[in-house]
Amino acid sequence: MRKIINAHCHIYPKKIASRAVEGIRNFYNLDMSLNGMSDNLIQDGEKVGVTHYLVHSVATTPNQVRSINEFISDEVKSHKRLFTGFGTLHPNSEDIEGDFEHLLELGLKGVKLHPDFQQFSLDSESAFKLGEVINSGNVPLMLHCGDYRYNYSNPKQLKPFLKKFPDMLIIGAHFAGWSMWEKATEELAGTPNLVVDLSSSLYNLSSETAKKLIYAYGVDKVLWGTDYPMWESESEMKLFNKIELTTNEKKMILYENAAKILGI
């Protein structure tokens, strides 16, 4: 049986899941069928044989940081060997260092930031402050990247951040540039400390273009993910399987690359 890691999954507590999903639906003007909760994530993943999930959530205000990280940690503990958790930070927190220490104490293995939701630019001093703290812990950072409507996480903001922290492993979600996939690839492919996931991308790319982007970054630097709860695993896997890749290349993207990063 092949192994598959879904390397991009947002999950939420039951009491706020419907509001969180509605917020995503409105932000991206997207029809969504999934509910944002762990059991639903697993049920969806089982349809294509997902064996592990990278789960996270994003704080839109500083006072959400610790409760979100505690929730993610609890979910990881409740789904041992099935979940790896990344925590969240917020640039406006009065105690970023303390928040990060708490995140590590909870057993979370990295950090996820969404500059467009959190409304800070990756080339700002507040972003660099976050980067310094995260870099001190030697853990990977996943970034939402790209949005033609804003200027928080586009290539011109991401480039200075990548340069500022050359030793930090950064996962650039959505081929490092949602809604500007090809432009981002042209500007960012070859960056030594950048890997990408292909979540929320394949729906808008031909299989030929997707293959071109994968090869530009390097097959060993691409992760498969669904951006749960935005997309269903079955539809995402169908789109992935249309890309003309070798069996070994698919194995790397579906499992091996993420397993290496997550220490699985």
Side-chain angles (χ1 to χ4, degrees):
M1 183 182 75
R2 70 175 180 175
K3 296 179 179 180
I4 301 171
I5 295 175
N6 187 339
H8 196 128
C9 310
H10 306 263
I11 56 171
Y12 309 98
K14 182 177 181 179
K15 65 181 180 180
I16 69 161
S18 62
R19 281 182 286 137
V21 170
E22 183 68 20
I24 297 169
R25 180 183 293 117
N26 292 338
F27 192 82
Y28 290 108
N29 190 27
L30 180 71
D31 290 331
M32 296 163 59
S33 63
L34 302 167
N35 69 21
M37 291 186 283
S38 293
D39 289 350
N40 183 238
L41 168 66
I42 296 167
Q43 291 167 3
D44 176 68
E46 285 176 343
K47 294 177 181 179
V48 298
V50 174
T51 53
H52 199 85
Y53 304 84
L54 173 54
V55 297
H56 44 72
S57 189
V58 174
T60 55
T61 63
N63 62 2
Q64 295 174 340
V65 169
R66 297 204 179 198
S67 62
I68 287 174
N69 289 341
E70 289 167 0
F71 164 71
I72 296 295
S73 177
D74 287 344
E75 289 297 304
V76 170
K77 291 172 184 175
S78 296
H79 300 86
K80 292 180 180 178
R81 294 185 295 277
L82 193 60
F83 285 2
T84 295
F86 276 15
T88 186
L89 296 172
H90 196 283
N92 295 335
S93 172
E94 295 181 357
D95 187 15
I96 294 172
E97 292 87 352
D99 292 341
F100 184 60
E101 289 176 7
H102 181 239
L103 179 159
L104 296 178
E105 289 169 358
L106 289 169
L108 301 177
K109 303 300 184 183
V111 175
K112 166 67 187 296
L113 300 174
H114 195 310
D116 299 81
F117 276 5
Q118 297 176 299
Q119 297 187 331
F120 72 95
S121 177
L122 284 173
D123 59 355
S124 66
E125 286 303 317
S126 58
F128 293 157
K129 173 62 176 176
L130 282 171
E132 289 169 1
V133 173
I134 296 166
N135 202 37
S136 71
N138 193 32
V139 296
L141 168 64
M142 176 182 283
L143 290 170
H144 167 91
C145 298
D147 194 321
Y148 70 93
R149 301 169 295 177
Y150 308 105
N151 280 304
Y152 294 119
S153 63
N154 295 338
K156 67 179 181 180
Q157 287 86 39
L158 178 56
K159 269 187 171 182
F161 192 89
L162 290 165
K163 185 176 181 180
K164 179 89 172 169
F165 302 103
D167 298 324
M168 183 191 299
L169 177 63
I170 295 174
I171 303 168
H174 327 309
F175 279 119
W178 179 78
S179 74
M180 50 184 66
W181 299 277
E182 292 178 86
K183 175 180 173 58
T185 303
E186 289 172 3
E187 296 194 27
L188 300 169
T191 306
N193 58 325
L194 177 66
V195 302
V196 301
D197 75 38
L198 43 69
S199 68
S200 285
S201 302
L202 301 183
Y203 75 97
N204 199 68
L205 302 172
S206 69
S207 57
E208 293 80 10
T209 298
K211 180 178 179 179
K212 182 180 73 173
L213 302 190
I214 289 169
Y215 278 15
Y217 283 109
V219 175
D220 61 333
K221 289 194 167 189
V222 181
L223 318 177
W224 184 81
T226 66
D227 210 356
Y228 176 90
M230 293 183 68
W231 308 97
E232 297 178 1
S233 290
E234 284 186 310
S235 60
E236 289 298 286
M237 189 61 74
K238 285 179 182 177
L239 290 172
F240 177 72
N241 284 331
K242 289 181 180 179
I243 305 170
E244 292 186 359
L245 299 168
T246 68
T247 299
N248 188 56
E249 288 171 339
K250 289 182 177 181
K251 185 177 179 181
M252 292 171 70
I253 293 169
L254 290 172
Y255 183 79
E256 291 179 355
N257 298 337
K260 183 178 180 180
I261 292 171
L262 301 179
I264 296 171

